[in-house]
């Protein structure tokens, strides 16, 4: 092979440089492990997990025939949806819908860039990682509203509006619930935040913040008990009603990517990230904890009823905001009493 | 080769784009095509479609949006305060408690307004 290519030195160099890029750590991080493949496969796995767990909750069996325990079901679904006809309403803005589905996927996966999956195993070690993640998450409502508006269907638009209100209402409690962590560690870097948890995980001193963050995460993810934007009995499928075929697949995958990213964020902020006994390698700890959190969210979907719109909004603005502020005061007292050194890095 | 955080983010987004865009294009090209006024109508539970969906909707929860605008900015300021908190002397922390207490007054008023249904 080498002798054959000697006549073409340019090609040889090109192949070498391409090989060098492909085997470089940065490239592998972006494409394989904390990056693209990890996100895609985990999101596909979560669709299977959700169907299987909810089936168990409802005394069914769930997917069974594609592969062992139906584990290949997401792939079968994906292939099926790829070959389906894309039916869009006659007055819908088809280009806008495609663009928004694509943008939703890109937005949903973006926070994974800042989330550490091990000591030094992070795509971009951002100093403002936490703010970056929240900034990306707060872009979601506008894209969702655009999908609802672009479909030109009443169900879609109502779903989009509800999604906007809900995500906007729960963003503030969500931000304030992690303020305690920022005060204790004195940094916004997610890697540093995980390092600070080597002694005690933040779920113990920040139990109030954890509760608020988890509830707000459920609302941000539009999942039961806050799944008003796609309340099946009222709005069919919410803002996703008029998406079909490949566009639906991408939008659906984006929602599960968001679930994975949010679970990973909860793991990073409150459950100690990669820290744990070294019987299991660090990245595996993160993935295991993430799937555990996602599993809890799925079980909640199988067991809780849906709340009403006004109750949802008032709960977000009164109870959760007050609880988040109370958490800040508890943290202030904790630092004044001199417990802060445990989490300083 | 050391890349900055934002270039790494851009590369990651590019990877997502060049893998997701072909899926959409493939679905668009391979899926069946056809025109049918009944099938192309937006879904309204089997009813005949009544006009466009881009109507004026009542903004029932307007006070909540106003509160969002205020508290979004406040939350960002609180983050900068929280970052520096551990190295601040007692007095600044005390001032913050006063600030949050003052903040609670307009919040309470806005919640009272949002509870009054006759204003909607």
């Amino acid at each position: 092979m080498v002798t054959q290519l000697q006549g073409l030195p340019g090609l040889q160099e090109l192949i070498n440089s391409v090989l060098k890029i492909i085997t470089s750590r940065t490239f592998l991080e972006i494409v394989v492990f904390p990056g693209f493949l990890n996100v895609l496969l985990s999101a596909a796995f979560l669709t299977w997990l959700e169907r299987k767990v909810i089936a168990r909750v409802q005394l069914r069996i769930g997917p069974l025939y594609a592969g062992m325990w139906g584990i290949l079901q997401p792939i079968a679904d994906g292939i099926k949806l790829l070959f389906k006809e894309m039916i869009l309403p006659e007055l819908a803005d088809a280009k806008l819908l495609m663009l928004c589905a694509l943008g939703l996927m890109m937005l949903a996966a973006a926070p994974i860039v800042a989330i550490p999956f091990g000591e030094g195993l992070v795509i971009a070690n951002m100093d403002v990682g936490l703010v970056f993640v929240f900034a990306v998450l707060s872009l979601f409502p506008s894209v969702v509203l655009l999908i609802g508006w672009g479909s030109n269907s009443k169900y879609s638009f109502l779903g989009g509006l509800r999604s906007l209100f809900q995500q906007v209402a729960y963003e503030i409690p969500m931000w304030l619930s992690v303020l305690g962590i920022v005060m204790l560690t004195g940094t916004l870097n997610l890697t540093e935040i995980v390092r600070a948890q080597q002694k005690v995980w933040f779920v113990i001193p920040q139990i109030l913040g954890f509760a608020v963050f988890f509830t707000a995460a459920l609302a941000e993810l539009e999942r039961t008990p806050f799944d008003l934007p796609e309340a099946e009995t009222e709005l069919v499928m919410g803002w996703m009603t008029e998406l079909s075929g490949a566009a639906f697949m991408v939008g659906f995958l984006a929602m599960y990517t968001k679930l994975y990213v949010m679970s990973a964020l909860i793991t990073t902020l409150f459950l100690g990230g990669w820290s744990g006994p070294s019987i299991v390698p660090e990245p595996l700890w993160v993935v295991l904890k993430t799937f555990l959190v996602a599993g809890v969210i799925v079980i909640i979907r199988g067991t809780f009823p849906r709340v009403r719109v006004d109750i949802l909004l008032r709960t977000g603005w009164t109870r959760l905001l007050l609880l988040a502020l109370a958490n800040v005061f508890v943290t202030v007292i904790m630092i004044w009493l001199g417990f802060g050194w445990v989490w300083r890095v | 080769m050391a890349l900055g955080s934002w270039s790494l983010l851009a590369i990651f987004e590019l990877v997502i784009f060049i893998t997701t865009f072909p899926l959409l294009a493939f679905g668009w090209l391979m899926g069946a095509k056809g025109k049918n006024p009944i099938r192309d109508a937006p879904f309204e539970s089997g009813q005949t479609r009544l006009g466009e969906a881009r109507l004026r909707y009542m903004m029932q929860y307007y006070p909540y949006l106003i509160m969002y605008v205020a508290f979004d900015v406040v939350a960002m300021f609180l983050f900068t305060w929280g970052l520096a908190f551990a190295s601040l002397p007692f007095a600044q922390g005390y001032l913050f408690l006063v600030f949050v207490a003052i903040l609670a007054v307009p919040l309470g008023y806005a919640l009272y307004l949002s509870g009054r249904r006759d204003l909607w």
Side-chain angles (χ1 to χ4, degrees), chain B residues 66-90:
Chain B
I66 299 288
M67 286 196 295
Y68 172 74
V69 173
F71 273 83
D72 207 26
V73 180
V74 166
M76 217 53 249
F77 279 121
L78 287 183
F79 262 78
T80 54
W81 169 82
L83 265 179
F85 178 76
S87 49
L88 284 178
F90 182 83

Side-chain angles (χ1 to χ4, degrees), chain A residues 143-317:
Chain A
V143 180
V144 167
L145 188 63
L146 270 182
I147 291 184
W149 179 260
S151 317
N152 208 343
S153 160
K154 280 156 197 151
Y155 286 122
S156 297
F157 190 45
L158 278 176
L161 274 182
R162 280 192 187 183
S163 174
L164 176 82
F165 269 111
Q166 173 172 330
Q167 297 195 28
V168 154
Y170 279 74
E171 224 167 76
I172 310 293
M174 196 169 175
W175 284 39
L176 290 182
S177 64
V178 296
L179 185 58
I181 292 177
V182 173
M183 285 159 68
L184 284 174
T185 56
T187 176
L188 294 169
N189 187 327
L190 289 173
T191 308
E192 297 283 327
I193 286 176
V194 175
R195 275 190 205 134
Q197 299 178 65
Q198 298 302 323
K199 294 194 200 81
V200 182
W201 293 357
F202 277 131
V203 68
I204 293 165
Q206 297 285 317
I207 182 74
L208 215 52
F210 176 71
V212 173
F213 191 90
F214 192 79
T215 316
L218 285 181
E220 290 270 315
L221 289 167
E222 297 167 14
R223 297 188 74 87
T224 317
F226 306 113
D227 64 339
L228 295 156
E230 50 173 272
E232 291 93 343
T233 43
E234 307 159 27
L235 295 181
V236 192
M237 189 75 190
W239 48 271
M240 272 208 252
T241 304
E242 299 294 355
L243 294 181
S244 57
F248 174 76
M249 183 181 74
V250 172
F252 199 63
L253 204 62
M255 290 325 285
Y256 280 87
T257 306
K258 198 181 171 190
L259 171 62
Y260 180 67
V261 164
M262 202 65 106
S263 309
L265 192 63
I266 291 174
T267 305
T268 308
L269 289 174
F270 292 100
L271 300 179
W274 67 74
S275 56
S278 56
I279 35 169
V280 175
E282 285 176 351
L284 203 56
W285 269 120
V286 182
V287 173
L288 281 177
K289 286 175 189 171
T290 304
F291 281 137
L292 189 72
V293 174
V296 171
I297 293 176
V298 167
I299 289 177
I300 287 175
R301 176 171 176 193
T303 45
F304 273 68
R306 188 178 302 134
V307 300
R308 235 167 50 205
V309 179
D310 57 332
I311 293 178
L312 172 125
L313 283 170
R314 285 194 85 79
T315 312
W317 277 110

